[in-house]
Amino acid sequence: MSFVEYSDLIQNGDVAIVYLGHDSMMPVKVQQGAQTQTRYGVIRHSSDLIGQRYGSKVTCNKGGWVYVLHPTPELWTVTLPHRTQILYTTDIATITMMLELKPGSVVCESGTGSGSLSHAILRSIAPSGHLHTVEFHQQRAEKAAEEFKEHRVDRLVTVRNQDVCKDGFGVTGVADAVFLDIPSPWEAVGHAKAAMKRQGGRVSSFSPCIEQVQRTCEALADQGFEEISTLEVLLRVHDVRTLYLPMPDFGPDPSAQTWPDAAEIKPPASVVLKTTTLPRETQGHTGYLTFATKPRT
């Protein structure tokens, strides 16, 4: 099992995602002889998980059942233990696209946080790329490094515990892209530029407040970055519903009286159709995404 490579069978030591429902999932470290308690009963790792295919339906001892899924960055985002506020898939998808990430890309990231974006970056740049991620908090940095090793992607990532605003990313002239998720990203713009390749690249910053965005954009312009733009991604999911609309009876159609059986034709009592309705609640503001390009030097 690896977060960037697919495996068919569940093995001892894997991290699997137990699916109880659309809004109820949890990660499980598969271990010989271990058990996992769910509301549907106990899952015994030795007999119920190890050797089974990912995607299998597992029956618990109380008669209920769950699915066991292969881990992906998207599933990890909704099940990971929160050490910080995290980025979710809506923003992550935009970031990976706008930074033009691809297999072989070298990326610098700060801060690592809970590793939500890090896992998505690693899948995008595998198998030959590399992620240099910087985390100011020592315990969070150590925990992130431990998770990367457990998820078998540690060969693709280097974790550094340092202040990116003072000490930079620890590399110079190697990055195709840089991502900043820190309280004062404008203080790290110079280090981001130094970490990027001479032939240029893309930089992105995530900030919840517009005042942070303003200062970051000013710093990017001062450092010679081009194509500076800021956007906000808001997700609105429409509910698909079946409606039954009654049809009014307007009486016989005079123009249709030429047909012998026209008088016997009756309009349908109702019409069945599919439609969408707006959600009652819409997720509000999460943060602003600022993007810029470093020109070739």
Side-chain angles (χ1 to χ4, degrees), residues 2 23 37 41 52 62 64 71 75 81 87 95 115 135 137 145 148 184 193 219 228-229 234 265 274 288 291:
S2 169
D23 296 320
Q37 295 281 350
Q52 302 297 318
K62 291 182 179 179
L75 292 176
L87 290 172
I95 293 167
E135 173 56 51
H137 192 278
F148 291 140
S184 52
K193 183 178 180 181
I228 302 172
S229 64
L234 298 177
I265 300 176
K274 293 284 187 181
Y288 300 102
F291 297 94

Side-chain angles (χ1 to χ4, degrees), residues 2 15 37 48 55 60 63 75 86 89 111 124 138 141 162 164 173 177 251 255-256:
S2 169
V15 175
Q37 295 281 350
D48 298 333
C60 305
L75 292 176
I86 68 170
T89 302
S124 298
Q138 181 179 353
Q162 59 192 47
V164 70
S255 64

Side-chain angles (χ1 to χ4, degrees), residues 197-257:
K197 294 178 178 178
R198 293 189 60 183
Q199 56 265 40
R202 296 279 286 168
V203 63
S204 176
S205 172
F206 177 89
S207 297
C209 302
I210 195 64
E211 292 81 7
Q212 295 170 301
V213 174
Q214 291 171 331
R215 297 187 65 175
T216 303
C217 289
E218 290 174 357
L220 288 168
D222 292 342
Q223 289 289 338
F225 283 85
E226 301 175 350
E227 300 176 331
I228 302 172
S229 64
T230 299
L231 56 87
E232 182 181 19
V233 183
L234 298 177
L235 178 65
R236 187 167 69 171
V237 179
H238 289 243
D239 298 321
V240 178
R241 300 177 60 187
T242 301
L243 293 184
Y244 299 86
L245 297 181
M247 293 295 293
D249 185 0
F250 295 107
D253 184 358
S255 64
Q257 292 300 322

